[in-house]
Amino acid sequence: MSADEELIKLYSQRILSLAAEIPHAKRLSSPQVTAKKRSPLCGSTVTVDLRVSDGRISDFGQDVKACALGQASASVLGANVIGLSRDEIERGRNQLRAMLKEDGPVPDSPFDGLEVLLPAKDYKNRHASIMLAFEATLAAFDEAAQAA
């Protein structure tokens, strides 16, 4: 397969569709906490605003400046994040990392939509961007816990 065919496969129509329609793609006007994560390798950034109630995300906003793969990951996260606990986000992050780095299975529901990123496992330089939305969300959760 040529390099061009590899890129076309990597940036499939589904990935591009997810990247174009990221849920909760606006910052919150009055967040409880905010966290920003940056990939030093590619410069991608994700900023997450959260409100947490009873240990679960009650409101969420994100500003995603990343490649289509990072945007697709943020899209799947954003579509499922409301109502989740820190443990559920962490489990999704860990399963995504295992899928990319250890040939692990596709993450469990509600993050099974991350299956679209399976072709990215061969592109290690993109893994950090793919993980950013999860990392920023977990950092915001930790900040909320410290503030409580």
Side-chain angles (χ1 to χ4, degrees):
M1 188 176 286
S2 75
D4 287 341
E5 290 171 321
E6 291 273 336
L7 276 177
I8 289 168
K9 180 178 152 190
L10 182 61
Y11 289 102
S12 71
Q13 191 60 43
R14 179 72 181 129
I15 289 171
L16 296 175
S17 176
L18 285 167
E21 298 179 20
I22 300 173
H24 302 286
K26 285 179 26 177
R27 303 281 309 272
L28 298 181
S29 58
S30 57
Q32 181 182 355
V33 292
T34 298
K36 182 177 183 176
K37 289 291 182 177
R38 180 180 178 278
S39 168
L41 185 61
C42 65
S44 294
T45 62
V46 174
T47 304
V48 166
D49 295 327
L50 283 187
R51 284 192 204 109
V52 178
S53 179
D54 297 323
R56 298 195 169 272
I57 295 174
S58 59
D59 207 357
F60 178 85
Q62 59 183 340
D63 180 36
V64 181
K65 305 280 193 257
C67 66
L69 298 170
Q71 291 176 36
S73 177
S75 185
V76 172
L77 174 69
N80 296 290
V81 73
I82 301 295
L84 295 182
S85 68
R86 187 195 187 287
D87 287 346
E88 290 166 318
I89 300 293
E90 184 176 34
R91 183 173 62 245
R93 189 259 331 251
N94 292 346
Q95 290 175 342
L96 174 58
R97 181 185 296 134
M99 180 185 84
L100 292 172
K101 297 181 183 289
E102 302 164 12
D103 244 356
V106 171
D108 295 333
S109 181
F111 299 120
D112 49 339
L114 293 167
E115 178 178 19
V116 72
L117 296 170
L118 268 170
K121 67 183 180 178
D122 296 330
Y123 297 87
K124 293 180 184 349
N125 61 333
R126 303 298 176 122
H127 292 180
S129 180
I130 293 168
M131 301 299 299
L132 280 178
F134 282 87
E135 298 295 351
T137 302
L138 290 169
F141 241 120
D142 292 344
E143 190 175 319
Q146 288 177 352

